[in-house]
Amino acid sequence: MVGEQALHDYVLYDYWRSSAAYRVRIALNLKGLAYESRPVHLLREGGEQHAPAYRALNPQELVPCLCEGGRVLTQSMAIVEYLEETHPAPPLLPADAAGRARVRALAQLIACDVHPLGNLRVLQRLETQFGADPAARGEWMRHWIAAGLQAFEAHLADGAAGRYCHGDAPGLADVLLVPQVYNALRWQLPLEDYPRLHGIHAACNELEAFRRAAPERQPDAPPPA
Ligand SMILES: N[C@@H](CCC(=O)N[C@@H](CS)C(=O)NCC(=O)O)C(=O)O
Protein backbone atom coordinates (compact mmCIF):
# COMPACT_ATOMS: atom_id res chain seq x y z
CA MET A 1 0.00 0.00 0.00
CA VAL A 2 2.49 2.67 1.10
CA GLY A 3 5.39 3.38 -1.26
CA GLU A 4 3.86 2.04 -4.51
CA GLN A 5 4.23 3.93 -7.79
CA ALA A 6 1.39 6.51 -8.08
CA LEU A 7 -1.07 6.46 -11.00
CA HIS A 8 -2.27 10.04 -10.43
CA ASP A 9 -0.84 13.32 -9.10
CA TYR A 10 -2.77 12.75 -5.89
CA VAL A 11 -2.76 9.62 -3.74
CA LEU A 12 -5.36 9.52 -0.99
CA TYR A 13 -4.84 7.18 1.92
CA ASP A 14 -8.44 6.48 2.55
CA TYR A 15 -11.01 4.28 4.28
CA TRP A 16 -14.50 3.91 2.88
CA ARG A 17 -16.28 4.70 6.13
CA SER A 18 -13.95 7.43 7.36
CA SER A 19 -15.86 10.70 7.45
CA ALA A 20 -12.63 12.72 7.50
CA ALA A 21 -11.47 10.97 4.30
CA TYR A 22 -14.97 11.40 2.83
CA ARG A 23 -14.48 15.20 3.15
CA VAL A 24 -11.31 15.07 1.10
CA ARG A 25 -12.92 12.83 -1.53
CA ILE A 26 -15.76 15.36 -1.95
CA ALA A 27 -13.33 18.29 -2.22
CA LEU A 28 -11.15 16.52 -4.79
CA ASN A 29 -14.25 15.70 -6.83
CA LEU A 30 -15.64 19.24 -6.60
CA LYS A 31 -12.29 20.56 -7.81
CA GLY A 32 -12.24 18.02 -10.63
CA LEU A 33 -8.97 16.48 -9.44
CA ALA A 34 -8.34 12.81 -10.23
CA TYR A 35 -6.75 10.77 -7.46
CA GLU A 36 -5.76 7.26 -6.60
CA SER A 37 -7.38 5.80 -3.50
CA ARG A 38 -5.18 3.61 -1.30
CA PRO A 39 -7.38 2.03 1.33
CA VAL A 40 -6.07 1.79 4.90
CA HIS A 41 -8.28 -0.72 6.72
CA LEU A 42 -8.95 0.79 10.14
CA LEU A 43 -10.00 -2.50 11.78
CA ARG A 44 -8.11 -5.31 10.05
CA GLU A 45 -5.25 -6.78 12.09
CA GLY A 46 -5.67 -4.17 14.79
CA GLY A 47 -5.83 -1.32 12.26
CA GLU A 48 -3.54 -0.71 9.29
CA GLN A 49 -3.27 2.94 10.36
CA HIS A 50 -0.91 1.71 13.10
CA ALA A 51 1.49 -0.06 10.70
CA PRO A 52 4.99 1.47 10.68
CA ALA A 53 4.84 2.33 6.94
CA TYR A 54 1.63 4.33 7.41
CA ARG A 55 2.83 5.90 10.67
CA ALA A 56 5.80 7.25 8.73
CA LEU A 57 3.32 9.18 6.57
CA ASN A 58 1.02 10.26 9.37
CA PRO A 59 2.43 9.96 12.89
CA GLN A 60 -1.10 10.50 14.24
CA GLU A 61 -2.10 7.12 12.75
CA LEU A 62 -5.31 8.55 11.31
CA VAL A 63 -6.73 8.77 7.81
CA PRO A 64 -6.85 10.69 5.57
CA CYS A 65 -3.43 11.49 4.24
CA LEU A 66 -3.02 13.04 0.80
CA CYS A 67 0.25 12.74 -1.09
CA GLU A 68 1.16 14.93 -4.03
CA GLY A 69 4.55 14.00 -5.41
CA GLY A 70 6.84 14.07 -2.39
CA ARG A 71 4.46 16.25 -0.35
CA VAL A 72 2.52 14.58 2.45
CA LEU A 73 -0.57 16.36 3.72
CA THR A 74 -2.56 15.40 6.81
CA GLN A 75 -5.64 16.73 8.63
CA SER A 76 -8.68 16.84 6.37
CA MET A 77 -9.46 20.54 6.94
CA ALA A 78 -5.89 21.54 6.13
CA ILE A 79 -5.96 19.31 3.04
CA VAL A 80 -9.22 20.82 1.78
CA GLU A 81 -7.89 24.35 2.33
CA TYR A 82 -4.68 23.38 0.51
CA LEU A 83 -6.75 22.21 -2.46
CA GLU A 84 -8.72 25.46 -2.30
CA GLU A 85 -5.54 27.55 -2.39
CA THR A 86 -3.86 25.56 -5.14
CA HIS A 87 -7.03 25.12 -7.25
CA PRO A 88 -9.21 28.15 -6.49
CA ALA A 89 -11.93 27.28 -9.01
CA PRO A 90 -14.62 26.39 -8.26
CA PRO A 91 -14.30 28.13 -4.87
CA LEU A 92 -15.22 26.32 -1.67
CA LEU A 93 -14.99 29.52 0.38
CA PRO A 94 -16.92 32.78 -0.12
CA ALA A 95 -15.17 35.88 -1.50
CA ASP A 96 -15.87 38.02 1.59
CA ALA A 97 -14.14 37.68 4.96
CA ALA A 98 -17.39 37.52 6.92
CA GLY A 99 -18.67 34.77 4.66
CA ARG A 100 -15.44 32.81 5.02
CA ALA A 101 -15.64 33.14 8.81
CA ARG A 102 -19.21 31.84 8.76
CA VAL A 103 -18.37 28.87 6.56
CA ARG A 104 -15.25 28.00 8.57
CA ALA A 105 -17.27 28.23 11.81
CA LEU A 106 -19.81 25.72 10.45
CA ALA A 107 -17.02 23.45 9.24
CA GLN A 108 -15.15 23.63 12.54
CA LEU A 109 -18.31 23.01 14.53
CA ILE A 110 -18.24 19.55 12.97
CA ALA A 111 -14.51 18.98 12.57
CA CYS A 112 -13.45 20.23 16.03
CA ASP A 113 -16.47 19.71 18.27
CA VAL A 114 -18.46 16.75 16.94
CA HIS A 115 -16.31 14.38 14.88
CA PRO A 116 -13.43 13.83 17.39
CA LEU A 117 -15.84 12.58 20.07
CA GLY A 118 -16.97 9.73 17.84
CA ASN A 119 -13.69 8.65 16.38
CA LEU A 120 -12.91 4.93 16.32
CA ARG A 121 -10.12 5.22 18.90
CA VAL A 122 -12.43 7.12 21.28
CA LEU A 123 -15.12 4.45 20.99
CA GLN A 124 -12.51 1.73 21.48
CA ARG A 125 -11.28 3.52 24.62
CA LEU A 126 -14.82 3.87 25.98
CA GLU A 127 -15.15 0.12 25.60
CA THR A 128 -11.78 -1.00 26.97
CA GLN A 129 -11.39 1.53 29.79
CA PHE A 130 -15.00 2.07 30.89
CA GLY A 131 -16.72 -1.11 29.68
CA ALA A 132 -19.17 0.77 27.45
CA ASP A 133 -21.24 -1.82 25.62
CA PRO A 134 -22.64 -1.30 22.08
CA ALA A 135 -25.84 0.30 23.46
CA ALA A 136 -23.88 2.77 25.59
CA ARG A 137 -21.58 3.62 22.68
CA GLY A 138 -24.62 4.24 20.49
CA GLU A 139 -26.09 6.58 23.13
CA TRP A 140 -22.78 8.43 23.32
CA MET A 141 -22.65 8.86 19.55
CA ARG A 142 -26.24 10.03 19.20
CA HIS A 143 -25.86 12.47 22.10
CA TRP A 144 -22.84 14.28 20.63
CA ILE A 145 -23.95 14.18 17.02
CA ALA A 146 -27.40 15.51 17.97
CA ALA A 147 -25.85 18.36 19.99
CA GLY A 148 -23.72 19.34 17.01
CA LEU A 149 -26.47 19.04 14.39
CA GLN A 150 -28.86 21.05 16.59
CA ALA A 151 -26.38 23.92 16.73
CA PHE A 152 -25.61 23.60 13.02
CA GLU A 153 -29.34 23.76 12.23
CA ALA A 154 -29.72 26.91 14.36
CA HIS A 155 -26.83 28.59 12.50
CA LEU A 156 -28.48 27.79 9.18
CA ALA A 157 -31.41 30.03 10.19
CA ASP A 158 -29.26 33.17 9.91
CA GLY A 159 -30.38 33.91 6.35
CA ALA A 160 -27.07 33.11 4.59
CA ALA A 161 -27.95 29.57 3.61
CA GLY A 162 -29.55 28.84 0.25
CA ARG A 163 -29.65 25.59 -1.61
CA TYR A 164 -26.41 24.81 0.24
CA CYS A 165 -24.98 25.89 3.60
CA HIS A 166 -23.78 29.23 2.22
CA GLY A 167 -25.78 30.50 -0.73
CA ASP A 168 -26.44 28.46 -3.81
CA ALA A 169 -23.05 26.88 -4.51
CA PRO A 170 -21.58 23.94 -2.57
CA GLY A 171 -18.65 24.82 -0.33
CA LEU A 172 -16.54 23.88 2.67
CA ALA A 173 -19.45 23.68 5.13
CA ASP A 174 -21.25 21.22 2.84
CA VAL A 175 -18.04 19.19 2.48
CA LEU A 176 -18.10 18.74 6.28
CA LEU A 177 -21.85 18.38 6.71
CA VAL A 178 -22.51 15.48 4.36
CA PRO A 179 -20.08 12.99 5.97
CA GLN A 180 -21.34 13.95 9.43
CA VAL A 181 -24.93 13.28 8.34
CA TYR A 182 -23.76 9.93 6.99
CA ASN A 183 -22.45 9.21 10.50
CA ALA A 184 -25.70 10.37 12.09
CA LEU A 185 -27.70 7.97 9.93
CA ARG A 186 -25.23 5.18 10.57
CA TRP A 187 -25.92 5.60 14.30
CA GLN A 188 -29.71 5.73 13.73
CA LEU A 189 -30.12 9.39 14.60
CA PRO A 190 -33.30 10.61 12.87
CA LEU A 191 -32.94 13.85 10.90
CA GLU A 192 -36.51 15.17 11.24
CA ASP A 193 -35.43 17.68 13.89
CA TYR A 194 -33.02 19.29 11.42
CA PRO A 195 -35.09 20.21 8.35
CA ARG A 196 -32.69 22.79 6.91
CA LEU A 197 -29.59 20.63 7.04
CA HIS A 198 -31.65 17.65 5.93
CA GLY A 199 -32.64 19.58 2.78
CA ILE A 200 -29.08 20.72 2.13
CA HIS A 201 -27.83 17.15 2.55
CA ALA A 202 -30.33 16.02 -0.10
CA ALA A 203 -29.29 18.85 -2.45
CA CYS A 204 -25.60 17.95 -2.09
CA ASN A 205 -26.31 14.31 -2.83
CA GLU A 206 -27.82 15.27 -6.16
CA LEU A 207 -24.31 16.31 -7.24
CA GLU A 208 -22.03 13.69 -8.75
CA ALA A 209 -19.05 15.04 -6.78
CA PHE A 210 -20.80 14.09 -3.53
CA ARG A 211 -22.33 10.87 -4.84
CA ARG A 212 -18.99 9.55 -6.12
CA ALA A 213 -17.42 10.24 -2.70
CA ALA A 214 -20.06 8.25 -0.80
CA PRO A 215 -18.74 5.39 1.37
CA GLU A 216 -20.59 2.67 -0.51
CA ARG A 217 -19.01 3.80 -3.80
CA GLN A 218 -15.44 3.33 -2.55
CA PRO A 219 -13.25 0.46 -3.80
CA ASP A 220 -12.77 -0.95 -0.29
CA ALA A 221 -16.48 -0.86 0.63
CA PRO A 222 -17.90 -4.32 1.28
CA PRO A 223 -20.34 -5.56 -1.37
CA PRO A 224 -24.00 -4.81 -0.57
CA ALA A 225 -25.59 -7.53 1.61
N1 LIG B 1 -8.80 15.67 12.59
C1 LIG B 1 -8.48 14.58 11.72
C2 LIG B 1 -9.29 13.38 12.13
C3 LIG B 1 -8.92 12.14 11.35
C4 LIG B 1 -9.62 10.94 11.94
O1 LIG B 1 -10.08 10.96 13.08
N2 LIG B 1 -9.67 9.85 11.15
C5 LIG B 1 -10.32 8.65 11.63
C6 LIG B 1 -11.31 8.14 10.59
S1 LIG B 1 -12.64 9.30 10.37
C7 LIG B 1 -9.29 7.58 11.86
O2 LIG B 1 -8.35 7.45 11.11
N3 LIG B 1 -9.46 6.80 12.94
C8 LIG B 1 -8.60 5.72 13.24
C9 LIG B 1 -8.52 5.42 14.69
O3 LIG B 1 -9.28 6.02 15.47
O4 LIG B 1 -7.71 4.56 15.06
C10 LIG B 1 -8.78 14.98 10.27
O5 LIG B 1 -9.69 15.78 10.08
O6 LIG B 1 -8.11 14.49 9.36
Side-chain angles (χ1 to χ4, degrees), residues 141-159:
M141 289 300 291
R142 283 185 291 280
H143 173 82
W144 291 115
I145 298 173
L149 294 189
Q150 201 176 342
F152 200 101
E153 180 74 11
H155 279 294
L156 289 177
D158 65 2

Side-chain angles (χ1 to χ4, degrees), residues 164-208:
Y164 302 103
C165 286
H166 196 81
D168 292 318
L172 181 69
D174 305 290
V175 166
L176 274 285
L177 176 64
V178 167
Q180 191 57 58
V181 168
Y182 169 82
N183 258 343
L185 295 171
R186 182 182 161 197
W187 289 94
Q188 283 94 43
L189 181 73
L191 294 182
E192 287 80 49
D193 290 344
Y194 321 109
R196 288 188 189 86
L197 72 81
H198 195 185
I200 290 170
H201 176 254
C204 289
N205 278 328
E206 286 178 20
L207 300 176
E208 183 54 20

Side-chain angles (χ1 to χ4, degrees), residues 18-20 23 42 49 62-64 75-76 115 119-121:
S18 158
S19 46
R23 299 167 191 162
L42 297 186
Q49 70 276 31
L62 299 170
V63 294
Q75 286 289 346
S76 61
H115 175 270
N119 201 356
L120 173 65
R121 62 186 181 175

